[in-house]
């Protein structure tokens, strides 16, 4: 992997829930780290889900080796939000490969890890 191909700024985020000063649980995605990445589409498919046509794209995200990345995170790059499915660390080649999925109808930006949409809160402000 040539480092010059890492031309996208990718932000890795972790889903976190806290209690605010009034004792209510707040749930949101918070930034963990921002890195340069190369994002390559691997495959895509279209299907119907709840009478909505959905397009799903699988991508490979290449970054410099980083053992902090895990599959409970998501990746935000520009307007795209990716749900991480697996992380492959290669210390010898100094590369971390992240396999992730993106949905075109935008539902993944409201989903918590594991696809549990109700974790986003009553207002649905999971972003």
């Amino acid at each position: 992997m040539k480092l010059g191909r890492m031309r996208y700024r990718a932000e890795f985020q972790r889903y976190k829930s806290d209690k605010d000063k009034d004792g209510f649980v707040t749930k949101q995605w918070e930034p963990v780290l921002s890195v340069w990445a190369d994002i390559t589409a691997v495959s895509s498919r279209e299907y119907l889900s709840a009478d909505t046509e959905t397009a799903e794209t699988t991508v490979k995200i290449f970054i410099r080796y980083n053992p902090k990345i895990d599959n409970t995170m998501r990746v935000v790059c520009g307007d795209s939000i990716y749900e991480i499915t697996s992380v492959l660390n290669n210390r010898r080649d100094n590369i971390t490969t992240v396999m992730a999925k993106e949905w075109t109808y935008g539902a993944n930006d409201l989903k918590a890890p594991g696809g549990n949409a109700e974790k986003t809160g009553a207002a649905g402000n999971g972003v």
Side-chain angles (χ1 to χ4, degrees), residues 20-77:
D20 62 11
K21 62 180 179 158
D22 297 324
F24 293 102
V25 175
T26 59
K27 300 173 183 179
Q28 61 187 1
W29 290 97
E30 67 177 25
V32 176
L33 66 129
S34 182
V35 297
W36 290 102
D38 180 23
I39 301 174
T40 305
V42 176
S43 67
S44 66
R45 68 182 183 123
E46 291 184 4
Y47 59 93
L48 287 175
S49 174
D51 292 332
T52 304
E53 187 173 332
T54 304
E56 175 185 294
T57 304
T58 301
V59 297
K60 281 185 181 180
I61 302 172
F62 299 98
I63 62 172
R64 290 183 187 213
Y65 175 76
N66 193 324
K68 296 178 186 176
I69 307 298
D70 60 43
N71 62 353
T72 62
M73 297 178 174
R74 75 175 186 179
V75 181
V76 177
C77 185

Side-chain angles (χ1 to χ4, degrees), residues 48-121:
L48 287 175
S49 174
D51 292 332
T52 304
E53 187 173 332
T54 304
E56 175 185 294
T57 304
T58 301
V59 297
K60 281 185 181 180
I61 302 172
F62 299 98
I63 62 172
R64 290 183 187 213
Y65 175 76
N66 193 324
K68 296 178 186 176
I69 307 298
D70 60 43
N71 62 353
T72 62
M73 297 178 174
R74 75 175 186 179
V75 181
V76 177
C77 185
D79 293 335
S80 299
I81 299 173
Y82 303 98
E83 179 183 345
I84 296 176
T85 56
S86 65
V87 179
L88 308 167
N89 284 314
N90 186 342
R91 175 177 266 170
R92 189 177 82 194
D93 291 337
N94 199 32
I95 290 288
T96 295
T97 305
V98 177
M99 299 298 295
K101 291 184 180 181
E102 175 188 27
W103 288 268
T104 57
Y105 67 91
N108 62 330
D109 59 348
L110 296 179
K111 285 182 8 183
N116 201 349
E118 67 268 9
K119 289 184 181 180
T120 59

